[in-house]
Amino acid sequence: MWTFFQEHVLGMKWLNELVGEGLTRLGVDVTSRWGGSLQFFLYDVIKISILLCFIIFLISYIQSYFPPERSRRILGRFKGLTAHIISALLGTVTPFCSCSSIPLFMGFTSAGLPIGVTFSFLISSPMVDLGSLVLLMSIFGSKIAVAYVLLGLVIAVLGGLVIEQLGMERHLEDFVKQAHVPLAESETMSNQDRLHFAKEQMSETFRKVFPYVLVGVGIGALIHNWIPESLVTQLLGSQNPFGVILATLIGIPMYADIFGSIPVAEALLSKGAQLGTVLSFMMAVTTLSLPSLIMLKRAIKPPLLALFVAICIVGIILVGYLFNFLQQTMIF
């Protein structure tokens, strides 16, 4: 039953066959490079769009119970390790990319929450949202998806703890420390209001995310049908012990969310790249994009920014090598 759900509900294998049959009837040879690329592109765009709308609607509905004011109050009740864990978990039901997470991070920090706790949120939010869990399950399976999310939460919690222990509050910009945003009560919403909010969020977020989906699927289609398997294996396969580091460094300058990076990772994996290597690429793209770092630099000083980047890079690389090791021992 679970295999059927994973392959035909989440993975939508029937859709791939339907697209292939439709193209064939239109005279397209799906066994050719161009035909195969077109089938890959149409199938992935339709599949991801369907899952994306459903996921955004569901998460937005859940998010309606956790507006910024309520999230601040929840985080303010906890101390120590528990606060970091709750902060990282709250990050899974908030915006889908790092740029949209930064204003919330600044608001939490201005409200007087410990800096380490807010960084646990900042790391977790773009890296391990609930949408990534569902999409990863649709492509890589439940074991990989759950392990990815759990390890992403570990990076977020440990990263926040390190920043807290080093006492990095002094490296916040003055305007953030002096803002003192009050912890206002959240507005009570009816169920109809929540459904309307979820619908609006779905529409708005999909419009923002869809261009990155098109680019990501397009790149994935090119890799899937045009890039020689030997080249991908040589650079990102087991033959290159530095493949994880290379994939992480390549991912940092790119800007996309989890939905745009998954098709690229799927194509790389099918061409012989190691599992941990492609997951490190995904984490780097979603967590350390240059636009988000530029925005973050406005709120924190260079030493804290450098520490944040270093923690994320080290954590992402370690996760990549761990997944590669588990893949070789046939756990996945």
Side-chain angles (χ1 to χ4, degrees), residues 140-179:
F140 300 115
S142 57
K143 288 184 179 180
I144 295 173
V146 172
Y148 174 90
V149 170
L150 289 177
L151 289 174
L153 290 173
V154 169
I155 293 176
V157 171
L158 292 180
L161 285 171
V162 169
I163 290 173
E164 183 177 283
Q165 291 299 314
L166 293 177
M168 301 300 288
E169 291 84 356
R170 64 186 183 279
H171 294 297
L172 289 169
E173 292 292 351
D174 291 337
F175 80 92
V176 176
K177 292 186 290 186
Q178 296 170 1

Side-chain angles (χ1 to χ4, degrees), residues 269-287:
L269 190 63
S270 70
K271 283 292 185 176
Q274 289 191 287
L275 175 62
T277 303
V278 298
L279 293 181
S280 290
F281 168 79
M282 287 170 50
M283 284 184 166
V285 169
T286 56
T287 309

Side-chain angles (χ1 to χ4, degrees), residues 68 71-72 75-76 78 80 82-91 94 98 101-126 155-157 159-161 163-164 168-169 172 176 183 296 299-300 304 308:
S71 298
R72 293 174 194 164
L75 292 177
F78 299 95
T82 303
H84 289 273
I85 295 174
I86 298 300
S87 180
L89 290 173
L90 278 175
T94 49
S98 50
S101 302
I102 290 174
L104 285 175
F105 157 79
M106 294 172 62
F108 292 161
T109 305
S110 299
L113 295 177
I115 186 173
V117 173
T118 59
F119 266 95
S120 289
F121 166 85
L122 182 63
I123 297 171
S124 165
S125 181
I155 293 176
V157 171
L161 285 171
I163 290 173
E164 183 177 283
M168 301 300 288
E169 291 84 356
L172 289 169
V176 176
L183 300 181
L296 189 58
I300 63 177
L304 180 52
F308 166 73

Side-chain angles (χ1 to χ4, degrees), residues 258-273:
I258 191 73
F259 306 110
S261 62
I262 282 180
V264 180
E266 178 186 12
L268 289 173
L269 190 63
S270 70
K271 283 292 185 176

Side-chain angles (χ1 to χ4, degrees), residues 232-298:
V232 176
T233 302
Q234 182 180 358
L235 293 177
L236 303 178
S238 58
Q239 299 177 9
N240 183 6
F242 302 104
V244 171
I245 299 174
L246 177 63
T248 301
L249 295 179
I250 290 174
I252 292 175
M254 301 178 66
Y255 177 58
D257 52 32
I258 191 73
F259 306 110
S261 62
I262 282 180
V264 180
E266 178 186 12
L268 289 173
L269 190 63
S270 70
K271 283 292 185 176
Q274 289 191 287
L275 175 62
T277 303
V278 298
L279 293 181
S280 290
F281 168 79
M282 287 170 50
M283 284 184 166
V285 169
T286 56
T287 309
L288 292 173
S289 65
L290 285 181
S292 67
L293 295 180
I294 292 172
M295 289 180 62
L296 189 58
K297 188 178 183 299
R298 299 178 56 190

Side-chain angles (χ1 to χ4, degrees), residues 191-201:
N191 189 59
Q192 185 175 358
D193 292 335
R194 297 187 194 282
L195 291 173
H196 179 73
F197 171 79
K199 180 181 177 181
E200 292 296 319
Q201 286 290 100

